[in-house]
Amino acid sequence: MSQSPAVRGTGPNRPVHVGERAARALTTELARHQGPKTGLLVGATTDSTVLAAAIDALLPGDALTVVPADPLAVETLREHVTAQGRWIADRVRVVDSLAEADAVDVVVAAQPLVGTADETRLRLDELAKYLTDGGVLTVAVPARSGRAAGAIAELDRQGALFGVGTDLVLVNQPPVRVHRLRYTPAEIAVAARLAPAYRTSSVPLTRGMHIDSNGVAAGAIAVGLAALARIARPKSRLWLLPALAAAPVAAFFRDPERDLPEDASAVVAAADGQVLSVQRLRDERFGDGEFLRIAVFLSVLDVHVNRSPVAGKVVDYFVADGGFAAAMKTAAEHNVAAYTVLDTDHGTVVVAQRTGLIARRIVQRAPIGSLLARGERIGLIRFGSRTDVYLPADAADPVVGAGDRVVGGASVIARWR
């Protein structure tokens, strides 16, 4: 197989490097799929970080087919796989060319696409032929245009049509954007076999604590303002204000890891905070049936990362206009809110991210068509706010009441009957 023009480097001698963080983003669909799965990795080399990440994602019952970047290096790549041990060798098959591969659940392009728009389109069409129904194609493209402007434009176009997730990896040389594309509908039942996806928007500090990229940016802005103030007025202590604010501002965007309950019937909290109300109501925007709504208030001291309370498929997303009343008050019912609608095995489930008196910015990272695992991060709300979960009233029973404290992704707020 000759190398496609769409996967050459950004210059004659400047290939696009894929570091460990970008490799994890490229293989996240493999890593999160907990059931028996099949994968196809195209354009691999023995020292490829993407190949290493794909192998790490394998579980018993999985199968991975690997197509080398250089057809002359097939035997070398086979020897490399064999050297990983019998367990890996039994699950990884190296083929001479893409034509020998079978249809799989996940296709990963190991090398970023940097060709023209037409070359990129042809390459995507070629790779998409090897997807099973509902399968995902994962590819990377340089985040900055340069000579990859055509590839970037084509991926943006296809992402708008078929995208089920995107990750910007700044810690890479050069920075890359990873696109996950699904060309045919996925079965809702698959969501129950998924683990929460790896998110590059979450920057690790320790094994159990991360900071959302919004917090990194906010902290950097505060430090920058302090530096400018110190330069502009060296004799003043005004620079201390933004300098001292940097740490608490960044801490507001903390994103801790959470242990999900093992009970498959459990519905988890979508956010940290205090339960404001548990009530039955009707909302014609989501259907004719009655819903059980559990509203949680997030103070400025709570973790503001929002999570999916259940496993399901995102089938709609819309923003409703409104005011900015204090989130703990009744008037917050009419605040600006973003609604993520999920189709699940138990019916329609909705997560409403509501703004508050201070909160004016909602971040939602779950595009329509994406499959969400229970407890998966879907976005955040900046500063004090409220998150509501709507469940089919005839299918779920609440296990919390007004005044209870809950922890997003860990606390059980209801159970399916």
Side-chain angles (χ1 to χ4, degrees), residues 22 25-27 138-141 165-169 176-180:
L26 275 165
T27 57
T138 305
V139 296
V141 67
T166 180
D167 292 293
L168 176 61
V169 186
V176 297
R177 186 177 296 279
V178 175
H179 291 266
R180 298 192 296 279

Side-chain angles (χ1 to χ4, degrees), residues 16-270:
V16 178
H17 172 71
V18 178
E20 291 185 7
R21 196 169 176 83
R24 285 192 64 189
L26 275 165
T27 57
T28 188
E29 287 296 326
L30 282 171
R32 70 194 299 241
H33 201 303
Q34 303 300 294
K37 59 182 177 290
T38 54
L40 172 61
L41 178 62
V42 181
T45 60
T46 55
D47 60 350
S48 170
T49 55
V50 186
L51 174 59
I55 289 176
D56 286 343
L58 294 177
L59 295 172
D62 293 348
L64 176 67
T65 301
V66 179
V67 180
D70 182 357
L72 299 178
V74 174
E75 291 305 322
T76 302
L77 194 56
R78 284 175 178 151
E79 292 173 1
H80 174 75
V81 169
T82 301
Q84 305 295 311
R86 181 65 179 273
W87 196 91
I88 299 298
D90 286 346
R91 289 162 177 79
V92 179
R93 178 172 68 108
V94 179
V95 297
D96 293 332
S97 68
L98 185 58
E100 298 181 35
D102 299 319
V104 297
D105 300 318
V106 181
V107 175
V108 178
Q111 300 174 346
L113 307 185
V114 295
T116 66
D118 288 340
E119 290 171 338
T120 300
R121 189 179 308 113
L122 289 173
R123 185 61 168 170
L124 294 176
D125 289 344
E126 179 185 30
L127 296 176
K129 294 176 182 177
Y130 293 88
L131 289 172
T132 57
D133 289 342
V136 176
L137 169 60
T138 305
V139 296
V141 67
R144 296 190 292 264
S145 57
R147 293 184 59 185
I152 293 173
E154 180 59 24
L155 261 301
D156 286 343
R157 186 186 74 84
Q158 297 226 11
L161 295 171
F162 311 109
V164 291
T166 180
D167 292 293
L168 176 61
V169 186
L170 294 174
V171 186
N172 198 74
Q173 186 57 41
V176 297
R177 186 177 296 279
V178 175
H179 291 266
R180 298 192 296 279
L181 307 171
R182 180 180 288 119
Y183 296 96
T184 55
E187 296 291 334
I188 298 171
V190 175
R193 302 197 295 270
L194 299 178
Y198 168 72
R199 295 287 193 188
T200 56
S201 59
S202 185
V203 179
L205 294 180
T206 65
R207 174 172 292 187
M209 180 59 70
H210 296 220
I211 296 291
D212 189 88
S213 57
N214 281 261
V216 176
I221 290 172
V223 171
L225 290 175
L228 290 175
R230 185 66 185 270
I231 294 171
R233 303 185 65 180
K235 295 183 179 181
S236 173
R237 293 187 178 182
L238 286 175
W239 65 273
L240 287 172
L241 293 177
L244 293 175
V249 167
F252 170 83
F253 293 95
R254 65 194 183 278
D255 182 10
E257 292 291 341
R258 295 284 166 76
D259 293 326
L260 293 169
E262 295 183 1
D263 184 1
S265 68
V267 177
V268 300

Side-chain angles (χ1 to χ4, degrees), residues 377-412:
R377 300 169 178 87
I378 63 171
L380 56 88
I381 315 175
R382 293 180 181 176
F383 305 104
S385 52
R386 169 177 155 181
T387 302
D388 298 351
V389 173
Y390 295 73
L391 303 169
D394 60 354
D397 295 313
V399 296
V400 294
D404 290 345
R405 291 283 305 178
V406 294
V407 177
S411 295
V412 179

Side-chain angles (χ1 to χ4, degrees), residues 189-416:
V190 175
R193 302 197 295 270
L194 299 178
Y198 168 72
R199 295 287 193 188
T200 56
S201 59
S202 185
V203 179
L205 294 180
T206 65
R207 174 172 292 187
M209 180 59 70
H210 296 220
I211 296 291
D212 189 88
S213 57
N214 281 261
V216 176
I221 290 172
V223 171
L225 290 175
L228 290 175
R230 185 66 185 270
I231 294 171
R233 303 185 65 180
K235 295 183 179 181
S236 173
R237 293 187 178 182
L238 286 175
W239 65 273
L240 287 172
L241 293 177
L244 293 175
V249 167
F252 170 83
F253 293 95
R254 65 194 183 278
D255 182 10
E257 292 291 341
R258 295 284 166 76
D259 293 326
L260 293 169
E262 295 183 1
D263 184 1
S265 68
V267 177
V268 300
D272 292 27
Q274 184 180 50
V275 177
L276 286 176
S277 63
V278 178
Q279 59 185 131
R280 297 170 72 100
L281 49 76
R282 293 182 180 274
D283 194 319
E284 60 184 13
R285 293 173 299 178
F286 312 134
D288 297 331
E290 191 175 30
F291 287 90
L292 172 69
R293 188 181 69 181
I294 302 175
V296 173
F297 168 68
L298 294 75
S299 76
V300 293
L301 299 179
D302 288 314
V303 172
H304 272 57
V305 172
N306 297 145
R307 299 169 183 265
S308 177
V310 296
K313 179 180 179 180
V314 180
V315 293
D316 197 9
Y317 170 74
F318 62 92
V319 177
D321 197 10
F324 296 97
M328 77 288 291
K329 296 186 177 298
T330 305
E333 297 278 349
H334 307 293
N335 281 2
V336 173
Y339 295 88
T340 300
V341 183
L342 302 175
D343 194 3
T344 78
D345 287 336
H346 301 277
T348 299
V349 174
V350 182
V351 179
Q353 297 169 281
R354 300 188 188 279
T355 59
L357 183 64
I358 302 175
R360 300 295 173 98
R361 172 67 170 166
I362 296 173
V363 178
Q364 200 269 14
R365 295 177 174 137
I368 294 175
S370 58
L371 294 179
L372 297 177
R374 184 179 57 163
E376 183 166 344
R377 300 169 178 87
I378 63 171
L380 56 88
I381 315 175
R382 293 180 181 176
F383 305 104
S385 52
R386 169 177 155 181
T387 302
D388 298 351
V389 173
Y390 295 73
L391 303 169
D394 60 354
D397 295 313
V399 296
V400 294
D404 290 345
R405 291 283 305 178
V406 294
V407 177
S411 295
V412 179
I413 61 172
R415 283 193 170 85
W416 297 119

